[in-house]
Amino acid sequence: MTSQAEDGPDTVAASRRSKITPEREREFFDAVLEQIRECGYDSVTMEGVAHTTRCSKSTLYRQWKTKPQFVAAALRANRKVRFAGIDTGSLAEDLRLAARAAGDWSDKDTRLLQALGHAVTADHELAQALREALVLPEIAELREMLARGVERGEVPADHPALEYVPAMMFGVLRVRPVLSGQYADADYLVRFVEAAVLPALGLTPDPGRRSRDD
Amino acid sequence: MTSQAEDGPDTVAASRRSKITPEREREFFDAVLEQIRECGYDSVTMEGVAHTTRCSKSTLYRQWKTKPQFVAAALRANRKVRFAGIDTGSLAEDLRLAARAAGDWSDKDTRLLQALGHAVTADHELAQALREALVLPEIAELREMLARGVERGEVPADHPALEYVPAMMFGVLRVRPVLSGQYADADYLVRFVEAAVLPALGLTPDPGRRSRDD
DNA sequence: GTGTACCGATACGCTTGAGTACCGGTACAC
DNA sequence: GTGTACCGGTACTCAAGCGTATCGGTACAC
């Protein structure tokens, strides 16, 4: 595997004497991701992106060779830390906060993942970019959260449910639209954590059920 | 919205003096679904289906007006009862069996759902067909399973985790490829049920360990 | 002021696939 | 046997979209 497209061709704005500012680039990326969310990967057209950003197709093709490379670059630029700063000293509370945070981008992220779900099988670079943008960071953060809980002795290190928590959270998050037609909002996810994740981990949920009043 | 395409145009074989036997129709449906799984909805071509089934494009278009209608018909014909006959008298055992059963088509069903995930937003008939084929039956069966458990007194009727069990099962099932790159096989799902679903429901996986101590 | 290199616009070539039209062959009805 | 109606095959029209080429305009370097 040759890693020829690592950092170079992604954010071209700084190099190559391009007149495209990082802010402008951000507009391109936002536009293409939004178009993907709305129409699906295959239906996204470079012309459409060019039109909504009031640039020309040539401009896009000058920066990125092909459509998948363009999309991959947009995904990589979209990487964010989701659960940053969540460290309350209590695993249950951390999970609640993470659920609430996840619910806030549930809509956008889920639609993106859904729309790219299959396009990914064709282009490996795209697949990797998607994983790195929308999957791996959150998983890693969840695992750290759990590890801290274990370290504090809240959950035994060999608790069998531990390894399934990321899949549970992620699964419910992504699958809810399919089941009920609506995206998993923060309240739903917090209730899910309360009702299923914490009990599975042997953590006692709030007895009085005072889950959502900030 | 008038439901003009209900039963008539789906299975045309019997009507219209078509020489296409139900078995032949089944071949068409299998072919298109397999092509969807492999290439995604958008990349499926009527010509490809015609070629793999050694029929002509005309034949397909004679029976189904458009590609989405054809695919919707294929989905509707694909409806199956997944967890039929699972009723052991124990909710835990039922869930284990369901997990094992689900793992057996995990691959095919998940790929199909993934591939159609976004195509569905464009065509409402397709969306409904997909839900009726791959989502609603399994959910309904799971709910019945849970209801029986409640009726037998294994789980209190107001147990908060009850409503999340289908989402958990479905979520983990569908999301595993995204997380780990491999489909959720039967073993994985059974371990998940054991480690997370049963404890969440307050059912003890093995007698030596009571997880709820509030 | 001059030149270079990028920008936006437009037009084009090329491929692909949906859906249609037409054709000869053939099974089944009668 | 004769006719009808469907089958498979092929050729076609039409639209869309990728990626390329070309052109005038313009910002910035020097």
Side-chain angles (χ1 to χ4, degrees):
Chain A
M1 49 182 200
T2 58
S3 61
Q4 76 266 27
E6 204 68 43
D7 281 357
D10 274 13
T11 317
V12 213
S15 68
R16 254 200 86 191
R17 187 94 54 89
S18 168
K19 292 173 186 168
I20 297 180
T21 65
E23 292 76 24
R24 186 78 172 119
E25 199 182 52
R26 184 81 245 154
E27 284 183 51
F28 295 153
F29 290 161
D30 286 346
V32 72
L33 294 184
E34 187 53 34
Q35 231 183 77
I36 289 174
R37 279 187 275 261
E38 278 176 11
C39 319
Y41 175 80
D42 285 328
S43 302
V44 162
T45 68
M46 295 298 261
E47 201 151 2
V49 175
H51 184 257
T52 62
T53 54
R54 295 174 308 281
C55 80
S56 100
K57 229 177 16 159
S58 323
T59 305
L60 298 179
Y61 277 108
R62 259 177 228 122
Q63 313 292 338
W64 301 279
K65 301 297 177 204
T66 66
K67 171 175 154 181
Q69 281 182 26
F70 176 41
V71 174
L75 284 172
R76 274 193 277 261
N78 199 46
R79 268 179 295 195
K80 305 186 198 106
V81 183
R82 301 306 199 186
F83 308 140
I86 297 184
D87 187 1
T88 63
S90 149
L91 178 55
E93 195 56 27
D94 280 3
L95 287 175
R96 285 188 202 102
L97 288 180
R100 187 164 298 284
D104 289 342
W105 321 283
S106 159
D107 185 6
K108 292 181 78 171
D109 283 0
T110 301
R111 264 162 35 199
L112 197 52
L113 207 59
Q114 182 84 310
L116 285 169
H118 206 270
V120 137
T121 60
D123 188 303
H124 191 266
E125 184 189 353
L126 209 54
Q128 194 176 348
L130 184 63
R131 279 176 64 81
E132 287 175 5
L134 287 184
V135 179
L136 297 184
E138 291 162 12
I139 297 301
E141 288 178 280
L142 274 180
R143 288 202 197 286
E144 285 173 25
M145 209 173 276
L146 293 166
R148 288 197 303 266
V150 167
E151 207 169 338
R152 285 190 298 259
E154 300 179 58
V155 179
D158 61 347
H159 195 294
L162 273 175
E163 67 168 307
Y164 297 101
V165 170
M168 284 171 77
M169 304 274 293
F170 229 70
V172 168
L173 186 60
R174 300 303 178 219
V175 121
R176 161 108 137 135
V178 183
L179 296 189
S180 73
Q182 48 192 318
Y183 291 96
D185 54 309
D187 281 346
Y188 174 83
L189 284 175
V190 172
R191 287 201 308 274
F192 169 66
V193 165
E194 207 79 39
V197 179
L198 298 184
L201 284 170
L203 296 169
T204 61
D206 269 342
R209 223 196 108 159
R210 48 142 207 115
S211 58
R212 53 215 163 134
D213 27 30
D214 297 335
Chain B
M1 273 302 184
T2 56
S3 62
Q4 74 270 24
E6 204 69 44
D7 280 356
D10 273 15
T11 317
V12 215
S15 68
R16 254 198 88 193
R17 188 97 52 92
S18 168
K19 291 172 187 167
I20 297 180
T21 64
E23 293 75 25
R24 186 76 172 124
E25 199 182 53
R26 185 81 246 155
E27 283 182 51
F28 295 154
F29 290 160
D30 285 347
V32 73
L33 294 184
E34 188 52 34
Q35 229 181 79
I36 289 174
R37 278 187 276 259
E38 277 175 13
C39 320
Y41 175 80
D42 284 328
S43 301
V44 161
T45 68
M46 296 296 263
E47 202 151 1
V49 175
H51 184 258
T52 63
T53 55
R54 294 173 310 282
C55 79
S56 101
K57 225 171 27 152
S58 324
T59 304
L60 298 179
Y61 277 108
R62 257 177 229 125
Q63 312 292 338
W64 303 278
K65 302 297 176 204
T66 65
K67 171 174 152 179
Q69 281 182 25
F70 176 42
V71 174
L75 283 172
R76 273 193 277 261
N78 199 45
R79 269 179 295 196
K80 304 187 198 107
V81 184
R82 301 306 201 186
F83 307 141
I86 297 186
D87 186 3
T88 64
S90 148
L91 179 55
E93 196 54 27
D94 279 3
L95 287 174
R96 284 188 203 101
L97 287 181
R100 187 161 298 282
D104 290 341
W105 324 281
S106 160
D107 184 5
K108 293 182 77 170
D109 283 0
T110 301
R111 264 162 37 200
L112 198 51
L113 207 61
Q114 182 85 307
L116 285 169
H118 206 272
V120 137
T121 61
D123 189 303
H124 189 267
E125 183 189 355
L126 209 54
Q128 194 177 347
L130 183 63
R131 279 177 62 81
E132 288 174 6
L134 287 185
V135 179
L136 298 185
E138 291 163 13
I139 297 301
E141 288 177 279
L142 273 181
R143 288 202 198 289
E144 283 174 27
M145 209 172 278
L146 293 165
R148 287 197 303 265
V150 167
E151 207 168 337
R152 285 190 298 258
E154 300 179 57
V155 179
D158 61 347
H159 195 294
L162 272 175
E163 67 168 307
Y164 297 100
V165 170
M168 284 171 76
M169 303 275 291
F170 230 69
V172 167
L173 185 62
R174 299 303 178 219
V175 122
R176 159 108 136 137
V178 183
L179 297 190
S180 72
Q182 47 193 318
Y183 291 95
D185 54 308
D187 282 346
Y188 174 83
L189 284 174
V190 171
R191 288 200 310 272
F192 169 67
V193 164
E194 206 78 38
V197 179
L198 298 185
L201 283 170
L203 297 170
T204 56
D206 52 280
R209 174 197 195 110
R210 282 198 66 216
S211 58
R212 291 165 50 113
D213 39 359
D214 30 9

